[in-house]
């Protein structure tokens, strides 16, 4: 039996656009997608923006052969950079991602108010697991506690009943940030429950903490 997930698409779109980005009336929201994406999900995101008075900008492009800078030859770079430099919110859904390309870098350089989240070509089922079913303030409280614990130690050890026993040292010269699902302020957002351990020289190196 086939499943169309229409209700699940609507839920995911509402949570991301209205509860996490907190889109308000008049804000412009870019949703970038390519020929590898689910059109119904992209439309659900646009509808969730429109429902609160936002201005959705759904941008379709060819699926690039490679991710990031290696995909530049396949994208209308000048047009994309111009658009993304002038929106309030950018949800990147591309199945071949723009992340770390010149388009992405220049959008952040030119647009200091940009609220950005990358979900790539995540399935509806994956988005449901990752973005729904919890309270953002509660998650924020937990992740901030984890961050405080990390910043107060020199070594992290992870063990489990299944036999996991991993230890690594923390370099406190690196900054430490979290993604808790609150994308209402300018930031580079990723899936909630991500703890970011960022060097001063490379802005987005990551370690994951769950």
């Amino acid at each position: 039996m086939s499943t169309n997930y229409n209700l699940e698409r609507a839920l995911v779109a509402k949570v991301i656009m209205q509860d996490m980005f907190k889109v308000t009336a008049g804000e412009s929201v870019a949703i970038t997608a390519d020929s590898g994406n689910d059109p119904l999900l992209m439309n659900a995101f646009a509808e969730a923006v429109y429902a609160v008075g936002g201005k959705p900008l759904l941008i379709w492009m060819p699926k690039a052969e490679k991710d990031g800078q290696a995909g530049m030859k396949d994208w209308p770079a000048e047009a994309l950079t111009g658009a993304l430099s002038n929106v309030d919110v950018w949800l990147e859904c591309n199945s071949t991602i723009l992340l770390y390309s010149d388009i992405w870098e220049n959008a952040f350089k030119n647009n200091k108010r940009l609220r950005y989240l990358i979900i790539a070509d995540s399935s509806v089922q994956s988005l449901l697991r990752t973005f729904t079913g919890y309270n953002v303030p509660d998650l924020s409280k937990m992740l901030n506690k984890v961050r405080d614990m990390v910043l107060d130690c020199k070594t992290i050890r992870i063990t489990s009943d299944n036999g996991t026993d991993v230890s690594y040292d923390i370099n406190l010269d690196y900054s430490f940030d979290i993604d808790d699902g609150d994308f209402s302020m300018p930031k580079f957002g990723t899936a909630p429950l991500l703890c970011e351990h960022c060097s001063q020289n490379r802005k987005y190196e990551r370690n994951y903490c769950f």
Side-chain angles (χ1 to χ4, degrees):
M1 182 176 69
S2 63
T3 304
N4 59 35
Y5 291 109
N6 284 339
L7 296 178
E8 291 81 1
R9 287 187 184 90
L11 175 60
V12 166
K14 176 195 176 296
V15 168
I16 290 177
M17 291 302 186
Q18 299 176 16
D19 300 342
M20 293 183 169
F21 274 123
K22 295 182 173 63
V23 173
T24 58
E27 286 193 314
S28 55
V29 179
I31 303 154
T32 57
D34 60 37
S35 50
N37 287 115
D38 173 7
L40 294 177
L41 180 58
M42 303 306 105
N43 286 336
F45 286 128
E47 290 166 4
V49 171
Y50 188 73
V52 293
K55 300 177 180 179
L57 176 64
L58 183 48
I59 304 175
W60 288 96
M61 65 197 76
K63 178 179 171 64
E65 290 184 11
K66 297 181 179 180
D67 293 314
Q69 188 63 16
M72 286 293 291
K73 66 182 181 62
D74 298 316
W75 295 315
E78 186 174 350
L80 281 170
T81 302
L84 299 171
S85 295
N86 291 281
V87 296
D88 298 293
V89 170
W90 173 16
L91 178 65
E92 181 177 355
C93 306
N94 299 66
S95 63
T96 305
I97 58 175
L98 295 155
L99 180 68
Y100 299 128
S101 68
D102 284 346
I103 297 166
W104 185 90
E105 297 281 0
N106 287 325
F108 270 92
K109 178 182 177 181
N110 300 336
N111 190 351
K112 301 306 181 185
R113 71 179 189 275
L114 185 61
R115 288 132 59 198
Y116 167 88
L117 171 65
I118 181 168
I119 62 171
D121 60 345
S122 300
S123 67
V124 175
Q125 300 95 314
S126 175
L127 293 171
L128 279 170
R129 291 192 301 270
T130 307
F131 288 90
T132 69
Y134 55 86
N135 181 276
V136 170
D138 289 343
L139 178 61
S140 179
K141 183 178 179 180
M142 183 194 75
L143 289 179
N144 275 287
K145 185 174 182 179
V146 170
R147 179 175 60 187
D148 291 344
M149 291 170 61
V150 170
L151 294 176
D152 196 39
C153 71
K154 294 182 179 179
T155 301
I156 289 180
R157 183 182 180 191
I158 302 170
T159 64
S160 77
D161 293 337
N162 293 328
T164 300
D165 193 343
V166 178
S167 298
Y168 60 92
D169 294 333
I170 294 293
N171 183 349
L172 295 180
D173 291 333
Y174 284 51
S175 63
F176 198 87
D177 198 8
I178 60 173
D179 270 334
D180 57 8
D182 183 356
F183 307 123
S184 61
M185 300 294 290
K187 71 176 299 181
F188 167 23
T190 52
L193 276 179
L194 176 67
C195 298
E196 301 170 350
H197 195 201
C198 310
S199 73
Q200 295 179 358
N201 294 325
R202 292 189 60 193
K203 190 174 181 183
Y204 299 117
E205 293 181 355
R206 287 185 167 79
N207 289 325
Y208 293 83
C209 301
F210 298 94

